[in-house]
Amino acid sequence: MVDDISFGGYTNNGTDDGQMTMSSLVPVGGDIWSIGTDPTAPSPTHMMQCQNAQGSYNPNMMNYLVSPPIQLPNDGDIRVDFMIKGYFDDLDAFPQCDYFGWEISPNNGLSWYAMSNPYNDPTGTNYVYSDAPDVWASMVNSYSLNGLISDYAGQTIMLRWFFKSDEDTPIGTGIMIDDVTVYNDIFIAPPANLAATVAGNNVTLTWDEPGSGGGGGEEGWLHYDGENSGNSIGTNSAADFAVAAKWDPIGEHGIFDYVGMNITKIKFFPGEVNCVYTLRIWTGAAGDIAYEQTVPSPTIGAWNEVELTTPWTIPSQTQIMAGYRCNTQAGFPAGCDDGPHVPGYGNMMYWQNNWTTLNAVSSTLTYNWNIRIYVADPVTGKEYVLGHGPYEQEVHAYTDAILQEKGSTQPVRTLDGYKIFRDDIEIDQVGATVLTYTDSGVEGGIHTYYLKAVYGANTSEASNTVTTFVLPQSHAELMHDDGTAEEGFNVGSTKQMAVKHSYGQAVTVKYAKVYVHTVGTPGIIVRVFDNDGPNNMPGTQLAQYQYPAASVVEGWNWIALPADINVADGEFYLAIMETAGASAIGLDTSSNGYSYKKIATDWEPVTTGEIMLRAIVEYGSAADDDVIPAYTLDAKNYPNPFNPETTIAFSVPKTGPASLKVYNTKGQLVRTLVNDVREAGNHSVVWNGMDEQGNSVSSGLYFYRLSSDGNTVTRKMLLAK
């Protein structure tokens, strides 16, 4: 009965379908759960509200809202959450006050357990809640829950919410819920080590199967924190909690590059002498203990670098956390930096028997724990611990709750194949045993490729992205280096380096091809000069382009330059002006004679080698004026952005089959506009913003792909409603 409910095969978009039921255990209080509207709801406009017609709630209530049965998946890290908003107040002491609760039943409603203690652990804590966030917020995040119900994998569960009020006149508006979601955290490994080679108009991709990554990370310390400046966290009394840094299986904060390597040391900053410190490594979303080692005599108020008794091998497809347990009698035992925090990664905390974050416990504490792990390559012939063994359960004195430890295994999933993407458009799908693919007849220019692994109905995150360059027709690559950088070359901030190029006839400079030996912090400022300076040195600046820092990679970088850099005699200089922290450009030391630098006021030769700055130019024919221009494969839409329709003008070079298709940003086909035989020449077609079923598509970025005679071009367009 709430927008965007989706679980166990049950969905609802705001209609009363009778599957979510309401009841009242106190008849005098009435049953006021109902469907309502709120323009600020997470997915407007409908939500579920426990609110009366006067915009408040009733005294003497015990109102329940119960979900239909929900069939959970058979494996994975299964979580549940919902969005909540409300306001109520009661000056009476608990339990004679107003509160709400959230419960789960694994046996068709015969038993109900608090979601703070979903497995009914006799030593756990069963919470109800005597307030509500005044803006829409996640239940799990608002009350430091984890929402995990993985132990019920494969079973059918039900959820219910209740709101209880006493006999006092209510103060407030009640509660509202929306976006109830049960979801499954499934790690799906992406393909690894994608590489590309170009031969003519053919691009050949090779890759490794999912999960084969690892060992490629550099040995050293991994961490999120800054230095300690005297900060540490605690209750200033006896307490038992754990602190950790977290890494995901993949992604921005992923451990994937280090799979198969070993954590050999942990460094931390203890702050209390009357504390027992135990180093730990946890795995999985539930935070199962995988390794522990007591630190017998830590140095307080200083970095402690502890070598693990048994190096611990980083597994694939697994979230890991590393840190320590503090069982303290006083003080502030856990050292931290001054921030800013990396939320959900540098500030993880096991507090009151749940994993949460430091700032969720106290919103003013936006710091990272001083925790660092050292990763190293395995030593041949030495055995390492993978996974974890049994450990004794521990009782946290402040709650008498047991820190549960149980085995954690990743489900085995069948790889069905790979989806291949060029320039963010899916171009093909191949089988699970295929580890190479040739993309034939690729249009000239810069192209990016990545892959996704397919596991049934699921697809992985993208592999690494590779950038390739296919030399277009009537283009030439000008160079003086042999392709090998023996060393890196810099000239200093505000200084310039340049390479002289000559083709012998009029050209248009289209691309710079720059070899980066060592990546720096800023982007690359590329300049093109005519050779009309003194002694035919760089003179008139014809163009300048700043290649963004985020795009700079080690190795070759293809940089598209501004249009219409025309050089009548074919002689010009391609240059770089450095800024502070600039990338070192490759230097081929096997030859010299075409490279120059400008350190002061004059250009002077570089005598130690050739700077690896190549130019890609478009040339014409001396008889061009006498030749009827041939049609090229091209497409352009107007207007762009558009609403509600746009015209796509396109041309094909020869008569034959042609197709023009529209895709969304996920690479899914939205609409086929052309799929027939077209004469060589210019054509146009109108897209009205509808998909194949005649439904109006949503606003956003779309791609259209023109294919003819084995070649394709892809362009972008923006639908702005």
Side-chain angles (χ1 to χ4, degrees), residues 296-346:
S297 301
T299 302
I300 306 304
W303 282 106
N304 285 241
E305 184 177 309
V306 181
E307 185 169 345
L308 301 191
T309 304
T310 306
W312 190 81
T313 305
I314 298 171
S316 66
Q317 307 182 24
T318 305
Q319 172 188 294
I320 71 167
M321 293 186 286
Y324 54 93
R325 174 192 175 193
C326 317
N327 189 356
T328 187
Q329 300 305 307
F332 305 92
C336 62
D337 65 10
D338 291 332
H341 63 175
V342 183
Y345 294 95

Side-chain angles (χ1 to χ4, degrees), residues 12 51 89 111 143 156 184 186 234 240 365 377 449 455 471 543 574 616 630 685 707 715:
N12 188 285
Q51 188 179 83
D89 196 7
S111 305
Y143 296 97
T156 298
N184 191 6
I186 303 173
D240 193 350
L365 302 180
D377 282 319
Y449 290 85
Y455 299 80
L471 192 67
L574 190 63
I616 297 169
V685 65
S707 299
R715 302 286 184 259

Side-chain angles (χ1 to χ4, degrees), residues 86 131 248 263 274 276-277 305 392 396 526 556 604 632 643:
D131 62 4
D248 292 330
I263 299 176
N274 296 307
V276 176
Y277 291 93
E305 184 177 309
E392 293 297 321
H396 287 195
V526 180
W556 287 112
E604 57 184 283
T632 60
N643 180 30

Side-chain angles (χ1 to χ4, degrees), residues 31-174:
D31 177 17
I32 61 172
W33 277 111
S34 63
I35 195 165
T37 60
D38 180 0
T40 70
S43 52
T45 56
H46 297 88
M47 49 77 193
M48 201 69 194
Q49 60 186 9
C50 196
Q51 188 179 83
N52 59 28
Q54 290 73 45
S56 183
Y57 58 96
N58 299 341
N60 294 308
M61 290 194 322
M62 188 59 172
N63 281 193
Y64 284 92
L65 175 68
V66 183
S67 78
I70 304 163
Q71 177 64 46
L72 298 181
N74 292 324
D75 49 43
D77 293 322
I78 307 169
R79 300 173 184 266
V80 59
D81 196 6
F82 65 94
M83 301 296 286
I84 182 168
K85 173 185 174 182
Y87 168 64
F88 60 93
D89 196 7
D90 193 328
L91 301 180
D92 296 334
F94 182 81
Q96 304 303 319
C97 65
D98 303 344
Y99 57 82
F100 78 93
W102 180 31
E103 298 176 315
I104 185 171
S105 172
N107 53 15
N108 201 33
L110 295 178
S111 305
W112 291 95
Y113 309 136
M115 274 300 299
S116 61
N117 184 22
Y119 309 123
N120 197 33
D121 186 334
T123 61
T125 305
N126 303 308
Y127 286 118
V128 294
Y129 309 95
S130 57
D131 62 4
D134 58 4
V135 295
W136 286 104
S138 157
M139 178 69 186
V140 167
N141 293 339
S142 297
Y143 296 97
S144 299
L145 304 172
N146 61 27
L148 278 168
I149 53 174
S150 303
D151 282 7
Y152 292 132
Q155 300 182 44
T156 298
I157 59 101
M158 298 171 68
L159 299 170
R160 78 174 179 183
W161 300 260
F162 63 84
F163 189 26
K164 175 190 175 299
S165 62
D166 62 11
E167 67 277 5
D168 299 341
T169 300
I171 302 172
T173 58

Side-chain angles (χ1 to χ4, degrees), residues 505-529:
Q505 69 177 67
V507 296
T508 300
V509 186
K510 305 293 285 188
Y511 303 91
K513 184 176 177 181
V514 181
Y515 190 93
V516 172
H517 180 273
T518 307
V519 177
T521 53
I524 299 174
I525 299 175
V526 180
R527 290 176 169 176
V528 181
F529 290 98

